[in-house]
Amino acid sequence: MGHLLEVKDLEVKFALRMGDLTAINGVSFTLDRGERLGLVGESGAGKSVTGFAIINLISKPGYISGGTVIFDGRDLTGLTGEGMRHIRGNLISMIFQDPMMTLNPVLTIGTQMVETLQAHMNISRKAAEKIALEKLRMVQIPSPEKRLQQYPHEFSGGMRQRIVVAIALLADPALIIADEPTTALDVTIQAEIMELLLELCESEGTGLILITHDLAVVSQVTQKIAVMYAGKVVEAGLTEDIIDNPLHPYTQGLIKALPDGRNPGTRLNQIPGVMPSLIDIPPGCSFHPRCTIRGDICRYESPVLREIPGYRNMAACHMLGLKKEPTEKDRAE
Amino acid sequence: MFAFAVRRITQAIIVMLVIGLLGFSIKQKIGDPVRDIVGVSVSVAERDALREKLGLNDPFLTQYVRFIKNAVHGDLGMSFFFKRPTLEVILSKAPATLELVFASSLIIILLSIPLGIYTAINPRNLPSRIIMGGSIVGVSIPVFLTAIILIYIFAVELHWLPSYGRGETVNIWGWESGFLTLDGLRHLLLPSIALSSIMLPLFIRLIRSEMMETLETEYVKFAWAKGLSRWRIWFLHAFKNTLLPVITVGGVQLGILIAYTILTETVFQWQGMGFMFLEAVERSDTSLLVAYIIVVGALFVVVNTIVDIIYGLVNPTVRITGRK
Ligand SMILES: Nc1ncnc2c1ncn2[C@@H]1O[C@H](COP(=O)(O)OP(=O)(O)OP(=O)(O)O)[C@@H](O)[C@H]1O
Ligand SMILES: [Mg+2]
């Protein structure tokens, strides 16, 4: 059996008045059944757009302009309305960032759960409610029977995100795309929800694409990581390799910017400069203005994601794998 | 919900007291109850005696309280022209106006909801552009002009529909209804279209803009991500949320429709309260004018209170706060 999901050379553009804006520029990655992938990168890198592109749900001026999304052997980018509808919420679910905004304020939790099941299978309301109750118990909502009749505003943020997780699990999907599922929550609740999500994905054998800019979280949850920068994947590999031995200077910068657990209170190392906006992406490697190891070629040629000799990670950088490998030590001098 | 309803009804009563004060002040300034009762051919001495007897020399506040007390008992004074209690005169004219307003509201609701939703879902296609363009033309033509154009086309040129009056009516329990005969409905058509013409574009635009905003929300996006059918997303998820602001604004606008009946009824010689009002102005029938203001004010307040309570029923947040 092939991969569960294979995203290949995905390209998303936004048709704006001034012309087309390329938000995703050739993103590729794969995910196997039950596997968990972290999609990390700074704000605006294109993580959310990638997530929505997988289920073909880019909002209006945006469109998929190239590439394929092979899910379970089928190319989703070619699916029409009804075919795509049957994928969403059924085979691939999404969890959004802010649970205060995700649930419809004028419909009960029960309605919002039952309709999801009824959208994908021929099932009575009673039978659907039974499944809904089972999933609410899985996400540890107390007295779920009573909760089905309630409206979203009767729940706290953490509870709402549990309900959203339960909705995502309703149809036993093969893949869940969680777009920053804990960023909008209280710090104390963040870990709870993340742990719940991890547990459920493990016990149900559900694949997970976890979108976040928190490397600390992905390192605990996912097996693989893809690092995005300005609409491209700049480095991809196994989680431990990326965390312990990052190759791309951008990834190295991200890891260095993590608060150091061993020496709390030390200054955080931010990568100098900001990610370019999509309107003025520099020619060549889009990271080169901020790069510490750039060479001449970086100014005019865009690097492709490739295997780096001697390493397991893939990286998109001209300066890697050259005769003289730039190491941590070199740059410190 | 109960506490909410009580609060709304208290507000309604306060508004009615203010409207009463307004009506009473008008009566004090320009009205003459003595004339309303005995006419003009009575000697000055007799009139003064009557004034004293009627309590017209009492302080303002005493008279206002008396006015409100009478009003609560359904006594809004005598009509100088009809020589009958004003409330009776108005109530005999009310069915015509209420049926006209009802028919117009029906036209507005039945057309604005589908058109508003359609133009929100397809903001840029040709039919939407035509609807939106047409709605601009619609709001900018005054009601009486629309009415005259309608009469000219459908009554004068095509002879399809009658141009004035209510036609054949049926009396059920004192309510003169034009709804039950074909002739009555034919007479109702042009006036109700004319009356709805002013509010319809407004409602289409209101529903469209609220709906477009709702379609952009996260919960609608989540509904798409759940794989729901487009119909369920548009008509349940998005439209139910669109309804809340539309009910609030819409309720007020439907109340304002009553004001526009004065113009419509005059053009179509529609024997309702609006037509009566203009006649009362010409005859300086102050008591009748004041009674009209109070009755229409009460109607407006009642409509708004009902609208607010419906809003509470649609919006779960209001229901809960009320339950406490
Ligand atoms: N509706 C839109 N119109 C135009 N451009 C858009 C639109 N939505 C997204 N973009 C562009 O796509 C780029 C990627 O956005 P995306 O939301 O995927 O970023 P992200 O990596 O998820 O960031 P964040 O961490 O802030 O969520 C942004 O730079 C933005 O300019
Ligand atoms: Mg995002």
Side-chain angles (χ1 to χ4, degrees), chain A residues 101 103-108 112 151-153, chain B residues 219 241 315-317:
Chain A
M101 320 281 263
L103 296 168
N104 194 319
V106 300
L107 301 175
T108 62
Q112 297 188 54
Y151 289 90
H153 67 87
Chain B
Y219 55 80
N241 281 282
N315 187 352
T317 333

Side-chain angles (χ1 to χ4, degrees), chain A residues 268-333:
Chain A
L268 298 182
N269 295 294
Q270 295 293 348
I271 309 173
V274 289
M275 194 172 67
S277 85
L278 295 180
I279 332 165
D280 54 3
I281 291 206
C285 172
S286 38
F287 185 64
H288 86 259
R290 299 167 78 184
C291 188
T292 47
I293 61 167
R294 63 172 177 242
D296 279 342
I297 186 175
C298 306
R299 275 181 240 280
Y300 47 86
E301 199 172 309
S302 178
V304 291
L305 192 65
R306 62 188 168 101
E307 308 210 351
I308 307 296
Y311 294 92
R312 284 190 293 183
N313 297 0
M314 310 250 287
C317 177
H318 295 299
M319 306 312 283
L320 294 173
L322 298 177
K323 267 162 270 145
K324 184 177 172 292
E325 186 72 21
T327 61
E328 287 283 320
K329 212 168 97 232
D330 284 346
R331 249 166 297 124
E333 283 161 6

Side-chain angles (χ1 to χ4, degrees), chain B:
Chain B
M1 188 69 222
F2 179 71
F4 171 71
V6 168
R7 201 168 58 237
R8 274 311 278 117
I9 290 167
T10 314
Q11 283 169 2
I13 291 172
I14 294 171
V15 172
M16 278 320 297
L17 286 176
V18 173
I19 293 175
L21 182 62
L22 201 77
F24 178 67
S25 307
I26 294 172
K27 219 168 169 169
Q28 283 290 87
K29 274 270 173 284
I30 57 174
D32 184 356
V34 176
R35 182 201 68 162
D36 292 353
I37 296 169
V38 297
V40 279
S41 54
V42 179
S43 78
V44 178
E46 274 176 291
R47 284 159 163 255
D48 282 347
L50 192 57
R51 281 192 79 82
E52 190 59 37
K53 200 174 131 228
L54 289 173
L56 294 176
N57 298 329
D58 292 347
F60 184 86
L61 199 64
T62 320
Q63 291 197 52
Y64 172 60
V65 172
R66 192 187 301 135
F67 174 79
I68 293 292
K69 231 187 244 167
N70 289 340
V72 170
H73 289 110
D75 176 8
L76 289 174
M78 292 292 286
S79 162
F80 159 66
F81 178 79
F82 290 96
K83 303 277 179 261
R84 273 160 61 200
T86 49
L87 192 64
E88 209 181 293
V89 176
I90 290 174
L91 287 184
S92 71
K93 305 279 186 186
T97 299
L98 292 180
E99 287 191 353
L100 179 60
V101 170
F102 179 78
S104 296
S105 309
L106 211 62
I107 292 174
I108 292 170
I109 291 168
L110 290 183
L111 285 180
S112 67
I113 290 176
L115 291 180
I117 293 179
Y118 179 82
T119 52
I121 293 169
N122 311 288
R124 290 192 204 297
N125 73 2
L126 189 65
S128 289
R129 282 167 198 267
I130 293 172
I131 293 166
M132 298 317 289
S135 78
I136 293 181
V137 178
V139 269
S140 43
I141 300 181
V143 171
F144 70 89
L145 196 58
T146 316
I148 289 168
I149 294 170
L150 284 174
I151 290 175
Y152 180 75
I153 296 174
F154 293 101
V156 178
E157 287 294 321
L158 296 172
H159 297 289
W160 286 355
L161 292 166
S163 62
Y164 66 89
R166 291 188 72 194
E168 195 184 328
T169 57
V170 179
N171 189 319
I172 15 172
W173 300 300
W175 180 287
E176 286 288 336
S177 176
F179 278 157
L180 298 173
T181 63
L182 188 65
D183 188 51
L185 289 175
R186 276 165 49 84
H187 279 81
L188 184 61
L189 207 54
L190 288 185
S192 53
I193 291 173
L195 183 56
S196 62
S197 70
I198 196 82
M199 292 292 175
L200 183 61
L202 224 107
F203 269 71
I204 294 174
R205 292 183 157 264
L206 176 67
I207 291 175
R208 172 184 135 102
S209 70
E210 293 295 340
M211 180 87 176
M212 284 177 81
E213 214 168 282
T214 316
L215 286 173
E216 291 297 314
T217 59
E218 287 287 295
Y219 55 80
V220 166
K221 203 158 190 196
F222 189 60
W224 288 109
K226 292 199 299 185
L228 303 185
S229 74
R230 62 183 66 200
W231 304 108
R232 192 169 173 94
I233 294 172
W234 287 336
F235 292 101
L236 183 71
H237 281 256
F239 186 62
K240 200 166 179 197
N241 281 282
T242 301
L243 262 182
L244 294 177
V246 170
I247 289 173
T248 334
V249 181
V252 178
Q253 297 301 331
L254 286 185
I256 293 176
L257 213 54
I258 297 173
Y260 282 103
T261 57
I262 296 177
L263 288 170
T264 319
E265 289 183 2
T266 308
V267 177
F268 287 97
Q269 304 278 301
W270 189 265
Q271 294 296 327
M273 295 191 290
F275 191 64
M276 177 211 79
F277 177 81
L278 270 198
E279 284 183 327
V281 171
E282 276 164 22
R283 295 168 185 144
S284 310
D285 198 341
T286 319
S287 292
L288 192 55
L289 291 182
V290 169
Y292 174 85
I293 290 169
I294 288 171
V295 169
V296 168
L299 259 176
F300 194 75
V301 168
V302 167
V303 167
N304 271 299
T305 309
I306 292 174
V307 162
D308 277 0
I309 290 171
I310 291 176
Y311 181 90
L313 289 177
V314 177
N315 187 352
T317 333
V318 174
R319 241 182 290 170
I320 293 305
T321 27
R323 211 188 279 161
K324 276 180 197 156

Side-chain angles (χ1 to χ4, degrees), chain A residues 217-229:
Chain A
V217 169
V218 275
S219 69
Q220 284 156 15
V221 175
T222 68
Q223 295 123 347
K224 297 205 297 194
I225 290 179
V227 181
M228 289 191 67
Y229 187 81

Side-chain angles (χ1 to χ4, degrees), chain A residues 5-6 18 39 41 97 141 157 159 179 198 219 229 236 257 267 272 292-293:
Chain A
L5 179 73
E6 185 178 357
M18 54 184 177
L39 214 52
Q97 176 170 348
I141 299 277
M159 280 293 174
D179 189 355
L198 173 61
S219 69
Y229 187 81
R267 250 188 92 239
T292 47
I293 61 167

